[in-house]
């Protein structure tokens, strides 16, 4: 049996998990409807009936809250930050060596499950926001040459990586699903790099 | 009001749509459980309680029945057959120009809807069977160089094409979703061709 004293641990206000759940639910709803950029922590707090400070206290930054809302197993910055030190002409080769080990891991299972349920439902807007507003916003400007192509370059990269997720984790095609990370990285690396910095048909 | 005389048109036995539905349902179940190769028309007919001749009469070949079972809007052979005349070193370039116009069409909407519901449910085995037993069986032997790599080459191609489906039709990433077919074909063609006939890391 749980006593009141146990439930109300110091530093943890009563009703905590209710508040957390309500924040996450509101966040998911607003992110899906308006995207990440146009959704403020303030609006989420208002929708959940809590103070904005509490949202920051529980979830940190807006991006971290987004990751929690889509049940992402890790903070996207753990992938994005190391990429900042990678020279632009190496990103395509390095990206799969960062992503595949995470997807292959125990944490990755949650990510795949989330992706599948988002794809099945109407919440594709959440994945779209993440790709456009987090990934494209971060990497797009570094590969925006000729000017205006950055966004499309990221989308070509996404088209290859999303397909890897489908083939390896959802369809589990063999032998693809069991290949060592390095082998897949070596094979798709040149593809990703060409999409990022190579010639892009249709853009002058 | 529909009269009995109207319902029982000449040449169309009573209970037709019941039989069709039962055949499709049984087919879906057996294809999902055992794959295409190991499922016979005879077994499907037995499961549906009809004569095998009736299955052929309604649906044609086993592959056509499979296409109907997964609600594919077109017979896969309409894509596979023209590829037979394409030299192996051109397949990667031609493939997207065959597939994208179909996916872009009205018929394609049904395909995308089916794919999404298959992905969400547990019927991924149906897509896997289709890729392994229809596509890989058809194209694999032509690109099996060095020997034993044909299957994996097809899976790399699938990984890029499935990602295009996701980005263009499910996530509808813009501008990717609105690009002309030729532009995407020109950009991913070299990728597909390299996966089909280029050097494949890890295989000696």
């Amino acid at each position: 049996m749980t006593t009141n004293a146990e439930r109300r641990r110091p530093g943890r206000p009563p009703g905590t998990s209710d508040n957390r759940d309500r924040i996450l639910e509101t966040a998911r709803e607003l992110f899906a409807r308006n995207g990440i950029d146009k959704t403020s922590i303030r609006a989420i707090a208002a929708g959940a009936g809590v103070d904005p400070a509490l949202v920051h206290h529980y979830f940190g930054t807006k991006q971290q809250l987004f990751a929690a809302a889509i049940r992402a197993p890790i903070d996207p910055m753990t992938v994005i930050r190391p990429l900042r030190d990678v020279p632009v002409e190496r990103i395509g080769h390095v990206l799969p060596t960062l992503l595949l080990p995470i997807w292959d891991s125990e944490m990755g299972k949650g990510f795949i499950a989330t992706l599948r349920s988002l794809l099945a439902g109407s919440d594709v807007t959440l994945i779209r926001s993440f790709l456009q507003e987090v990934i494209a916003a971060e990497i797009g400007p570094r590969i925006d040459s000729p000017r205006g192509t950055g966004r499309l370059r990221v989308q070509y990269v996404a088209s290859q990586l999303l397909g890897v997720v489908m083939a390896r984790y959802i369809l589990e095609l063999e032998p693809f699903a069991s290949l060592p990370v390095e082998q897949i990285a070596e094979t798709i690396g040149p593809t990703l790099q060409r999409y990022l910095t190579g010639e892009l048909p249709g853009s002058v």
Side-chain angles (χ1 to χ4, degrees), chain A:
Chain A
M1 251 187 69
T2 315
T3 67
N4 263 354
E6 277 169 347
R7 250 188 269 125
R8 301 197 178 173
R9 287 198 292 276
R12 203 179 174 211
T16 287
S17 80
D18 275 8
N19 278 339
R20 283 185 68 102
D21 289 351
R22 231 176 25 253
I23 293 167
L24 284 175
E25 206 177 301
T26 310
R28 222 169 279 135
E29 202 185 305
L30 294 183
F31 284 139
R33 196 191 310 150
N34 306 321
I36 301 171
D37 287 349
K38 287 182 189 145
T39 301
S40 64
I41 292 275
R42 182 180 300 270
I44 292 166
V50 302
D51 194 273
L54 195 69
V55 179
H56 285 297
H57 173 72
Y58 284 150
F59 297 102
T61 66
K62 185 163 75 169
Q63 257 182 40
Q64 286 168 327
L65 172 58
F66 178 81
I70 63 166
R71 295 182 199 83
I74 59 155
D75 181 350
M77 290 312 289
T78 49
V79 173
I80 289 175
R81 207 172 292 114
L83 276 185
R84 289 183 182 159
D85 299 326
V86 176
V88 83
E89 64 279 1
R90 289 288 308 152
I91 295 181
H93 299 279
V94 171
L95 201 50
T97 68
L98 285 174
L99 289 172
L100 281 161
I102 294 174
W103 293 341
D104 278 356
S105 72
E106 267 312 304
M107 288 185 307
K109 293 203 179 109
F111 163 78
I112 306 298
T114 301
L115 185 67
R116 267 180 89 161
S117 79
L118 290 178
L119 283 177
S122 53
D123 280 353
V124 290
T125 46
L126 288 172
I127 310 177
R128 194 189 301 142
S129 291
F130 179 69
L131 284 171
Q132 313 274 49
E133 298 173 41
V134 179
I135 305 297
E138 166 72 27
I139 301 181
R142 295 184 62 194
I143 50 163
D144 194 35
S145 163
R147 217 184 170 122
T149 59
R151 189 182 172 99
L152 179 57
R153 288 181 184 281
V154 170
Q155 292 174 351
Y156 273 112
V157 168
S159 84
Q160 174 62 86
L161 289 174
L162 287 167
V164 166
V165 170
M166 299 254 301
R168 188 168 171 97
Y169 307 103
I170 299 183
L171 297 179
E172 300 179 26
L173 303 178
E174 291 296 351
F176 191 81
S178 303
L179 290 187
V181 166
E182 304 71 42
Q183 198 174 326
I184 293 191
E186 229 183 296
T187 309
I188 69 169
T191 300
L192 302 179
Q193 193 60 50
R194 182 166 61 84
Y195 293 161
L196 288 170
T197 53
E199 212 187 304
L200 203 63
S203 63
V204 198

